[in-house]
Amino acid sequence: MALAEAGARGRLLRWPRVLLFGDSITEYSFQENGWGAYLAERLVRKCDVVNRGISGYNTRWAKLILPRLITESTSPDSIAAVTIFFGANDSALKELNPKQHVPLEEYAANLKSMVQYLKSVDITADRIILITPPPLQESAWEKACLAKGDKLNRCNATTGQYAQACVQVARECGTDVLDLWTLMQKNQDFSSYLSDGLHLSTKGNSFLAAQLWSRLENKLSALPSLLPYWRDVDHTNPEASLL
C-alpha cells in the first residue's frame, strides 16, 4: 500500500532517449569498447542510449522501420537525439551484392525521407545527426569475402560517393553530419580503424565515439542528472528528496 501511495505521489521517471539507428556498425556498438557503450557511459543518469542497429540492413528497409521506432504518439521531448548511420550496405556493388545494394540516388532520397519523417513528428533538425559510412579497406574486406566463398563486393571509391551523398542530404535538410569516410582517411593508413576492412576496430570505435561526442555534448550538456546525488538525499525524510 505504501509503495502504491508513493507511486501515486511521485512523478513518473522518464529518461530522455538517444536513438542509434543503423546497420551492423551500430548493432555492434554496445560491444566492449564500442562507440555506443561509450555514449551510454557518458550519458548515464541523463539519457537512455537505445541501440537500434540492425545488421545487414540498408536505407530501403530502414525507412520502413523508423516510423515503428518513433511513432506519431512519441513525445518529441522524450527524444534527445537520433543518429542515422547507413550506407555501408547500400553502397555494395549491385552486380555482386544485389540484395543489399541501393542505387545512389535512392539512398539519398531514403535518407532525406527519414529526416523528413522525424521532422514531421517534431524531432527538430538540431537533434538529428547523419553519419556517413566509414572508408572501406579493400584488401582486408576481400579476405573476409573470400573466407565466405564470395568475391570482393564493395569498393572504397563507391562508398565515398555514398558518403558524399549523405553529407549533401544533411546540408539540404539542415542536420548535423559526421563524415567518417573523409575524417578517417585524413590518416593515410586508415586500416587501423577497421577490424575486417568494413567494421570498426577498437581504435575506430574510439575515433567515432570522440567525433560523435563532440557533436552531442553541446546538444545534451544542459540535460540534468536524474535523481539527486546520494549525499544530497535527506536520509531522515527521503520522500522529500525523491518524490
Side-chain angles (χ1 to χ4, degrees), residues 66-116:
L66 183 58
R68 298 167 64 191
L69 299 178
I70 299 176
T71 68
E72 293 181 359
S73 63
T74 301
S75 168
D77 293 339
S78 71
I79 305 295
V82 179
T83 61
I84 300 177
F85 189 5
F86 289 94
N89 298 316
D90 298 69
S91 60
L93 302 175
K94 181 179 180 180
E95 61 274 18
L96 294 171
N97 191 348
K99 185 165 186 174
Q100 290 179 303
H101 169 80
V102 171
L104 183 60
E105 289 186 5
E106 183 190 343
Y107 167 73
N110 291 341
L111 285 180
K112 188 175 292 186
S113 174
M114 286 189 274
V115 172
Q116 289 172 340

Side-chain angles (χ1 to χ4, degrees), residues 138-179:
E138 293 177 14
S139 59
W141 184 242
E142 185 173 26
K143 288 181 182 177
C145 290
L146 290 173
K148 298 175 183 177
D150 298 326
K151 296 179 181 178
L152 178 65
N153 56 21
R154 290 164 170 79
C155 74
N156 192 40
T158 301
T159 303
Q161 294 175 351
Y162 284 71
Q164 290 170 8
C166 180
V167 171
Q168 181 61 31
V169 168
R171 187 176 297 122
E172 292 173 2
C173 294
T175 71
D176 204 346
V177 65
L178 174 49
D179 185 359

Side-chain angles (χ1 to χ4, degrees), residues 52-68:
R52 291 296 179 264
I54 313 166
S55 179
Y57 275 50
N58 56 33
T59 57
R60 183 181 293 164
W61 305 341
K63 74 174 184 178
L64 301 177
I65 296 164
L66 183 58
R68 298 167 64 191

Side-chain angles (χ1 to χ4, degrees), residues 122-221:
D122 297 323
I123 309 299
T124 51
D126 63 314
R127 285 181 279 170
I128 304 168
I129 301 176
L130 301 186
I131 307 176
T132 77
L136 182 81
Q137 214 286 315
E138 293 177 14
S139 59
W141 184 242
E142 185 173 26
K143 288 181 182 177
C145 290
L146 290 173
K148 298 175 183 177
D150 298 326
K151 296 179 181 178
L152 178 65
N153 56 21
R154 290 164 170 79
C155 74
N156 192 40
T158 301
T159 303
Q161 294 175 351
Y162 284 71
Q164 290 170 8
C166 180
V167 171
Q168 181 61 31
V169 168
R171 187 176 297 122
E172 292 173 2
C173 294
T175 71
D176 204 346
V177 65
L178 174 49
D179 185 359
L180 268 191
W181 190 85
T182 298
L183 289 170
M184 284 186 167
Q185 289 184 96
K186 286 185 176 179
N187 178 350
Q188 288 187 336
D189 181 18
F190 63 87
S191 61
S192 62
Y193 290 129
L194 304 166
S195 62
D196 56 4
L198 176 68
H199 300 95
L200 301 180
S201 64
T202 296
K203 183 177 178 181
N205 273 281
S206 295
F207 182 85
L208 171 52
Q211 293 289 333
L212 188 54
W213 181 246
S214 72
R215 288 159 172 79
L216 282 173
E217 188 173 15
N218 289 338
K219 301 177 193 296
L220 304 178
S221 59

